[in-house]
Amino acid sequence: MQMIYAQNTADSAYYVTFPDQLTTRIYTSRKYTEFTIKDRISDNNLKFEPNSTMNLGVGATYNGLTLNVAYGFGFLNPDQGTGKSKYLDLQAHAYPKNLVIDLFLQFYRGYYSDLGEFSTATEPFLLLPNMRARKIGANVQYLFNGDKISLRAAFLQSEWQKRSAGSPFLGFELYGGNASNDEPFLPQGFLSSEERRFDATRYFQFGPNLGYVHTFVILKHFFITGYASTNISLGQQRLFFEESSQQKWGVSSNLFLRGFVGYNSEKWSINANYVHNRVNMIRNNDFDNSILTGNYRINFVYRISPSRKLKPYLDAVDLKRLLLR
């Protein structure tokens, strides 16, 4: 389940809003939080992935409040021999006029890795059913041209971007979390020194970011939106070995990408989007470790006018009306 809050603004020459319209959607999506390890000494790297599900869901947006509910049905998720994962992945996204706010609260258990050259015919995957990964984070950015470009049009489809526009932005982000396993992550032979094998990491970092977002509109209805930001973070990473631990402070840089493409109109929309957030941990013991969070989705959207019986219930949860009382 995902809840997204936004704040409607007056119509502009660049985009229009749909006050008191119910934006309904059917969608497919998949979320994931991956952990990657790169050893700078051997130049080997492994990516640990959860077996998260492809979900089919329904949702609606009304005057700034969005509620989506999805489920990973079996026919969408055949068994690939990569084990099972349990996870709670909560994300909140708010889009006031000149702000972009992202909140992450993610808990995953059960991972696998494609061993590549280390794999065998009988063990193509390294299965880690008790591996856990946690990420907690926040990202807040100020859009300088929020009156011309609408991320609600690209992400929520509750608005309609009718003219091309872009905006630089500045912000601040912070992340923290950990990854751990009952035994060392890396298989024997992966490292030149077995003493460097670790079974847990803990990280925290914060710092300013900057970026740019632009929507290209073609023939009023077709759109392509690209969003990219990077930052400079001050933080620390602690690695836990069999009988010791080592903490390092330093500076790193993260990456946040979003891409949207589709068709939007007054009544309906179809679109695809992808969100990628890469948190690069502080280098420790010649390891470059990262947490990668992603979400890709296809939406089929239709806007309707709520009936007289339904509208009082929708108004009861309308944040804008409640705040103006």
Side-chain angles (χ1 to χ4, degrees), residues 107-172:
F107 303 90
Y108 281 75
R109 179 171 183 169
Y111 278 76
Y112 74 94
S113 179
D114 186 344
L115 293 175
E117 63 181 281
F118 294 94
S119 65
T120 65
T122 57
E123 296 184 355
F125 300 107
L126 173 64
L127 301 183
L128 302 177
N130 293 321
M131 177 181 165
R132 297 164 293 278
R134 176 184 300 171
K135 174 185 171 184
I136 301 173
N139 174 46
V140 180
Q141 295 164 327
Y142 178 82
L143 288 172
F144 290 94
N145 297 326
D147 57 337
K148 294 182 179 180
I149 185 170
S150 168
L151 282 177
R152 296 178 292 275
F155 191 75
L156 298 175
Q157 302 83 46
S158 59
E159 298 181 350
W160 175 15
Q161 185 90 34
K162 303 179 74 172
R163 293 178 59 184
S164 299
S167 176
F169 53 80
L170 290 173
F172 189 87

Side-chain angles (χ1 to χ4, degrees), residues 62 307-318:
Y62 183 76
S307 66
R308 292 182 178 180
K309 293 183 178 180
L310 178 60
K311 194 173 187 304
Y313 295 100
L314 295 175
D315 290 342
V317 295
D318 183 351

Side-chain angles (χ1 to χ4, degrees), residues 28-223:
T28 61
S29 71
R30 179 177 180 260
K31 298 178 181 179
Y32 60 86
T33 295
E34 300 173 347
F35 177 51
T36 65
I37 300 175
K38 180 177 181 180
D39 177 26
R40 295 179 60 85
I41 296 178
S42 65
D43 200 33
N44 290 329
N45 63 83
L46 277 184
K47 178 170 65 174
F48 298 88
E49 304 177 61
N51 195 24
S52 55
T53 56
M54 176 67 72
N55 299 320
L56 178 64
V58 296
T61 298
Y62 183 76
N63 283 353
L65 176 65
T66 293
L67 178 63
N68 295 321
V69 180
Y71 183 76
F73 294 96
F75 69 90
L76 293 173
N77 300 279
D79 188 356
Q80 302 291 331
T82 54
K84 296 183 178 180
S85 300
K86 296 181 179 180
Y87 58 95
L88 176 65
D89 192 326
L90 300 177
Q91 300 180 32
H93 306 275
Y95 302 102
K97 180 180 178 181
N98 289 97
L99 292 174
V100 177
I101 303 172
D102 302 288
L103 303 175
F104 301 94
L105 185 62
Q106 297 161 303
F107 303 90
Y108 281 75
R109 179 171 183 169
Y111 278 76
Y112 74 94
S113 179
D114 186 344
L115 293 175
E117 63 181 281
F118 294 94
S119 65
T120 65
T122 57
E123 296 184 355
F125 300 107
L126 173 64
L127 301 183
L128 302 177
N130 293 321
M131 177 181 165
R132 297 164 293 278
R134 176 184 300 171
K135 174 185 171 184
I136 301 173
N139 174 46
V140 180
Q141 295 164 327
Y142 178 82
L143 288 172
F144 290 94
N145 297 326
D147 57 337
K148 294 182 179 180
I149 185 170
S150 168
L151 282 177
R152 296 178 292 275
F155 191 75
L156 298 175
Q157 302 83 46
S158 59
E159 298 181 350
W160 175 15
Q161 185 90 34
K162 303 179 74 172
R163 293 178 59 184
S164 299
S167 176
F169 53 80
L170 290 173
F172 189 87
E173 60 190 68
L174 60 89
Y175 299 101
N178 59 55
S180 62
N181 191 44
D182 294 342
E183 56 187 30
F185 293 109
L186 303 176
Q188 290 186 350
F190 188 88
L191 302 175
S192 58
S193 172
E194 296 300 307
E195 295 179 354
R196 296 176 60 237
R197 297 170 72 211
F198 62 96
D199 57 23
T201 178
R202 188 170 62 214
Y203 66 94
F204 175 76
Q205 57 182 253
F206 59 93
N209 60 38
L210 59 87
Y212 186 80
V213 57
H214 198 100
T215 294
F216 297 93
V217 177
I218 305 169
L219 300 176
K220 283 191 177 182
H221 296 284
F222 298 94
F223 69 91

